Structure formats: structure tokens, C-alpha cells
Amino acid sequence: MTFKELKLVSPILKALERENYQTPSPIQLQAIPPALQGRDLLGCAQTGTGKTAAFAVPTLQILLSSGKRDQETRRPIRSLVLTPTRELALQIYESFNAYGRYTNLRTCVIYGGVSQRPQETALRRGVDILVATPGRLLDLIGQGLINLKQVEILTLDEADRMLDMGFIHDVRKVIELVPKQRQTLFFSATMPREIVALSDSMLIDPVKISITPEKPTVEAIHQSLYLVDKANKRHLLVDLLRDPAIESALIFTRTKHGADRLVKELGRAGIDARAIHGNKSQNARQAALNSFKERETRVLVATDIAARGIDIDELSHVINYDLPEVPESYVHRIGRTGRAGHGGTAISFCDIDEKKALRDIERLCGRQIPRITDHDWPMEVLTPTPKAMRQPRGRRQVNQVSHNRKNFA
Ligand code: AMP
């Protein structure tokens, strides 16, 4: 099946050709035809499946064909896309611009954490499609700068993550401001109870689509695991990063604080690294990401929340400095390497307190991650830290003393 057979109009086909998309991905095949017919969609899919085009392409085509716009009057917002993070908002905005390159439809993106002035200017010029994070959107609606009364298509992207991040009330408020008579495209990677309830309240007889990311991608990734004491993880990491075969590494830490600390420690060892997480300003996050994408920065340290949804092509290594507490995150993390059939490498560290997380990951993957035992920092602390001494997320101190005598060079 080709994009042409999906009955897309020529300006969109031309743009997809320019993007070098040869064939529609499974989610696009399933989502585009019913969306073009005006049906509501309930898509259970993650980033990386091509879901942005699955909603952006039909949105552009419907807006092009409905053509209600009067050139003389200000453009009303006819499509709203709600998404949880600034990074996702920017990526979606860029996708609309790419797929809509040969149309005269205008897209605007708004998100918090930056000055609202440029966003205000863009809104005043009139937009057809608005991509927004919920907080800033409500803010600008409150200031009378945005009116959603003419929205025809509402898209909710990564609904489960909006719930995770505490945005669900804001989302509900926004929905109240959009006309009841509309088309709704609803996407979520997982479907917890609250999300099922939200989708039930928003969708009318939706077409249900469920896409699981291709497993072989993960199978193609070379995975290995180092058992190491918490206090020695940084030494081991420095040793590994001395290998020039690691062209670019995305390193995951459990906390924002841990990401910052690691960047400093790597800096002391002469390894240039940058961090990306929610406490950084939008400009700092974007600068770090761009520099990594352009290969100026070799090492990017991220937390799960900051990294989810970031699209980086041809990443050679993912390093789990801390193992994720949710086993599915392991698959998401390592799936960032080995994209498009390239076999990437995923290295994981596991200290004694992470043994349970490791068991859960291996159970989920149905196999043991091969151990590397021949290294300079073998695990020597074999007693788990008592639960009561483990601090909750964020501020856990290094409370294990390693007996390894090798110093941090
Ligand atoms: P998404 O899941 O929307 O974040 O898309 C993941 C990546 O796949 C992005 O880099 C898209 O540019 C790319 N992509 C989306 N659809 C296609 C397609 N049909 N063919 C090739 N690449 C695509």
C-alpha cells in the first residue's frame, strides 16, 4: 500500500516524498483512512511508530478540503493538538510544517517555560493548527489570546503521560472549551483506567488501533550488563567512554539531580557531556539536544521523562547508568538505538539495590541480559541497603562504601 492509495492530495504526497517516506507505517495505514472519513480514533501507540504523521496528515488534508477560511478575516484555530511536553510539542510542530510544506495552512506551537511574546505574535497572525502543552494553553486562553470555538479536529497525544505529569485536570478544562461537535484523535502508549475513562468521555464510536513497536528492533540491539557498586558506576562509565567506538551515547539516570551530578563528574574526568531534564530551561534543553543531534556533544545524560519522545536518528549507544524502576522503560530506552534496522548497543549498570528491577526487566524481555564480568569495578557490596535507609526519588545519597581500592583517575 502506498500513500497515494490512501487518497492523499498532491501537496501532501509531494511533502511526504520530500521527507523520503516510501510507504505508510502500520499505524498510518490504519489511522489515515478512517480519520479522513471524519471518524474518531483511539490509538494505542508509542512514539517511534510514525503516529505523528498518522494524525497530522489527515488533519492537514481535512483542513485543506473543508476550506472554510475566508482570506479577509483572521484565521480561526481549526485544529488543536494537546501534548504533554515542550519537546514533543516542537517535534509535532515541525512535523506539521514538514507535511504541510506545500499547503498554505499555518501551524503555531505554544509551551511554557519561555517568554510568551513570540507565541503571542504568531497567534495574532492567525493560525489554522495549534500545537500546545496544556498549561500555557490555558494561560493564553485566560488572557483572551486564544479562542477554541471553531476547533474542528482535536488531537490528544500521549494522554497517559499527561496523566503521569498531573495535567489531566488541565486537559479536561481545555476539552470543555472545544465544541462538542468535532472530530477527536486520541493517542496513548498505555491505557490505564483513568485514560480509558477520559477517552470514553471524549470519543464517539471510535476506530480502535493498537500498534506495538516491532520487537525485532530490540532483538537487533547488542545488550550487556555490568554488576557494579553504586559508588563505582561513574568510574566504570569513564572507563567505557574512553572507547572511541562509542560515537554517541544517551545515558539514563533515575533522577534529575543524578543527571546533573553525573555531567559534573564526567567533566572532571575530561568528558564533555550535557544533561537534559525538566529542571532545565527550555532553551538549555533544546540547545543540549541540538548539540547532541549535530554530534557536537558526544554524551547526553537524560531522565526518562525528558527523553521519552525525543527522536534521535543513528544513536550508537544507550547506557542505563541507573536501571529503570518500570521494566517497560528499559525497552523504550534501548529502543532509541538500533532504529531503522541499525544494530545499536545498550549497556546497563546494576548495583545491589537494583537487582529486583533487573529481575523484572529480564522477566519482561524473556531472556537474561549477558553479563560482562571481566572489568575493573566488580560488585563488592552484596548487602542491599535496608529499605528504610533508601531515600525516595531524587535525593538518595551515596550510602554504600565500595571496598574497591582503585581511585577515580
Ligand atoms: P513518530 O512516531 O511520529 O515520532 O515518528 C518516528 C519517526 O519515524 C520520525 O523520525 C518520522 O519522521 C519517521 N516516519 C514517520 N512515518 C514514516 C514513514 N512512513 N516512513 C519513514 N519514516 C517515517
Side-chain angles (χ1 to χ4, degrees), residues 3 19-25 28 46-54 88 91 95 99 309 311 313 339:
F3 280 110
E19 291 301 302
N20 220 358
Y21 292 3
Q22 316 280 343
T23 48
S25 72
Q28 292 160 5
Q46 292 168 6
T47 295
T49 52
K51 76 175 155 69
T52 315
L88 278 169
Q91 278 174 23
S95 298
Y99 312 144
D311 187 29
D313 290 335
R339 285 239 170 133

